[in-house]
Amino acid sequence: MRPINTHMKHTTGERGMQRYFFWFLLASLSVFFAEVTVASYLYPYFTPWGIISLLSLYGLHTLVLAGIVYRFGKPRFETLYLAGILFGLYEAYITKVVWNPEWDSFLKIGGVGIFEVLVVVLFWHPFMSFIIPVGVAELLTSGRKILPDIVLRHPYITAALLGIVESSNAPTPLHSFLSTFSSSAFLIILIYLWLGRFKGGHHDMKGLLPTSKELNPLFIALLAYYIIFGSLLRREALPEVSAQAPIWLLYAATFFLLYRALKKSQKEEDTVPLKCQPGLKRLTTLAGIFTLFAVIFTSIKTFVLPQLGVAIILVLWAFASVVAVVSFARSAGWALKS
């Protein structure tokens, strides 16, 4: 009878728990930056819909796309941004926002909302749902520099601006406080466990992400998510084929550019780790600034200047549209350059 190596089994089990906890942390980061910072969904970690729907949606997208970027290329702005566009395109066949948003679309061409594509698909999801969460996760593991320079240089200003953005959609100051405080506290607890219980602060993130074999079932689960939720949510908002065709072209162009970018990135050198991981004290301070500015500006909007929310959204959409065009042009140019 062959002896059982209990130490090896224990080590393997601990490693598996560590990786799965990291997957949950990464999914939670994506939900926080994509949903909480704009008060799109106030309590994603504490409601059945948030847990079943949002964590699954953002978690599957983030794990599959990050897994592809890290396994078949290298994480640099262009590869992450193009993968983030594929993330953002769920706003087509799941939510149908690019065709028929739940607000008045400012400009449509061929049945497609131009600013919805620019802001939601080409800006918000690539940055807030994908690049920022992946960048924060890198700081909490290897310390590799993925986050945009402006965020790394000015974290407190970034936290304040996110609080102001949150106020644009928050219904009341109390809701703003409860949402930002509870969600931030939930994330800080996860990070505390990650850095303490799981000792996750000194790992190569590639080894924590899904392997090539693990990507297959995750991709199937993501595809099933599209089929189920795409057929259940707002089926009446799905337009005719003529309006869907431009989105097919965007899908095709993004897949092609991402393929080129991944192949090209394989020849690039790895980014140098920053060797400065954010401590819990600093993260708590950033969370406090985020919550404080969210509550202050929601109070101003509620009691003093009702038009403030609309003004913030207009400024955000104008800024996002410019950044989207520049980012797409930069990424496409780099991917196509021989």
Side-chain angles (χ1 to χ4, degrees), residues 43 52 144 165 284 289:
Y43 310 106
I52 296 171
R144 184 182 290 127
V165 170
T284 303
I289 293 172

Side-chain angles (χ1 to χ4, degrees), residues 105-260:
S105 187
F106 180 73
L107 175 64
K108 279 189 176 183
I109 297 179
V112 176
I114 301 305
F115 284 99
E116 282 73 18
V117 170
L118 285 174
V119 176
V120 181
V121 177
L122 298 184
F123 172 80
W124 192 257
H125 287 298
F127 284 99
M128 303 303 292
S129 302
F130 196 58
I131 294 178
I132 301 298
V134 169
V136 172
E138 278 283 16
L139 289 182
L140 296 172
T141 53
S142 68
R144 184 182 290 127
K145 177 185 173 297
I146 298 295
L147 286 173
D149 288 335
I150 190 170
V151 174
L152 289 170
R153 287 198 299 263
H154 307 289
Y156 299 114
I157 294 176
T158 301
L161 290 174
L162 290 178
I164 294 172
V165 170
E166 196 275 346
S167 72
S168 65
N169 280 325
T172 67
L174 179 60
H175 280 90
S176 180
F177 171 75
L178 292 176
S179 173
T180 56
F181 179 82
S182 62
S183 298
S184 298
F186 179 82
L187 268 188
I188 289 173
I189 291 172
L190 290 185
I191 293 170
Y192 170 77
L193 292 172
W194 172 248
L195 296 177
R197 164 68 177 81
F198 292 98
K199 296 179 172 57
H202 303 284
H203 289 274
D204 184 354
M205 194 165 126
K206 181 178 179 180
L208 297 167
L209 288 169
T211 63
S212 299
K213 181 181 284 189
E214 289 170 331
L215 281 173
N216 292 328
L218 288 174
F219 178 77
I220 292 172
L222 181 60
L223 185 61
Y225 191 105
Y226 267 80
I227 294 172
I228 294 171
F229 282 87
S231 61
L232 292 177
L233 297 178
R234 305 182 67 219
R235 294 178 60 181
E236 73 286 352
L238 189 67
E240 297 179 352
V241 171
S242 60
Q244 296 182 48
I247 301 303
W248 298 345
L249 291 175
L250 181 56
Y251 261 113
T254 305
F255 275 121
F256 173 71
L257 291 172
L258 178 59
Y259 173 79
R260 294 266 309 185

Side-chain angles (χ1 to χ4, degrees), residues 5-154:
N5 192 333
T6 56
H7 174 72
M8 183 178 293
K9 284 189 173 182
H10 178 75
T11 303
T12 303
E14 284 287 319
R15 176 64 174 169
M17 285 183 60
Q18 182 190 53
R19 293 179 70 244
Y20 295 142
F21 186 87
F22 175 76
W23 291 10
F24 181 69
L25 173 60
L26 185 57
S28 300
L29 286 168
S30 182
V31 169
F32 178 84
F33 286 105
E35 296 285 330
V36 177
T37 60
V38 74
S40 180
Y41 197 88
L42 296 176
Y43 310 106
Y45 310 123
F46 311 104
T47 61
W49 178 257
I51 295 169
I52 296 171
S53 176
L54 293 182
L55 279 170
S56 298
L57 172 68
Y58 286 92
L60 286 170
H61 272 102
T62 306
L63 289 171
V64 169
L65 293 171
I68 289 172
V69 169
Y70 278 73
R71 296 291 162 192
F72 303 104
K74 290 184 179 175
R76 50 174 294 137
F77 175 80
E78 292 81 5
T79 56
L80 291 169
Y81 178 77
L82 292 168
I85 293 176
L86 295 178
F87 196 146
L89 281 167
Y90 92 79
E91 298 284 10
Y93 284 100
I94 292 182
T95 65
K96 290 81 171 177
V97 160
V98 299
W99 295 301
N100 292 297
E102 296 177 337
W103 56 85
D104 292 331
S105 187
F106 180 73
L107 175 64
K108 279 189 176 183
I109 297 179
V112 176
I114 301 305
F115 284 99
E116 282 73 18
V117 170
L118 285 174
V119 176
V120 181
V121 177
L122 298 184
F123 172 80
W124 192 257
H125 287 298
F127 284 99
M128 303 303 292
S129 302
F130 196 58
I131 294 178
I132 301 298
V134 169
V136 172
E138 278 283 16
L139 289 182
L140 296 172
T141 53
S142 68
R144 184 182 290 127
K145 177 185 173 297
I146 298 295
L147 286 173
D149 288 335
I150 190 170
V151 174
L152 289 170
R153 287 198 299 263
H154 307 289

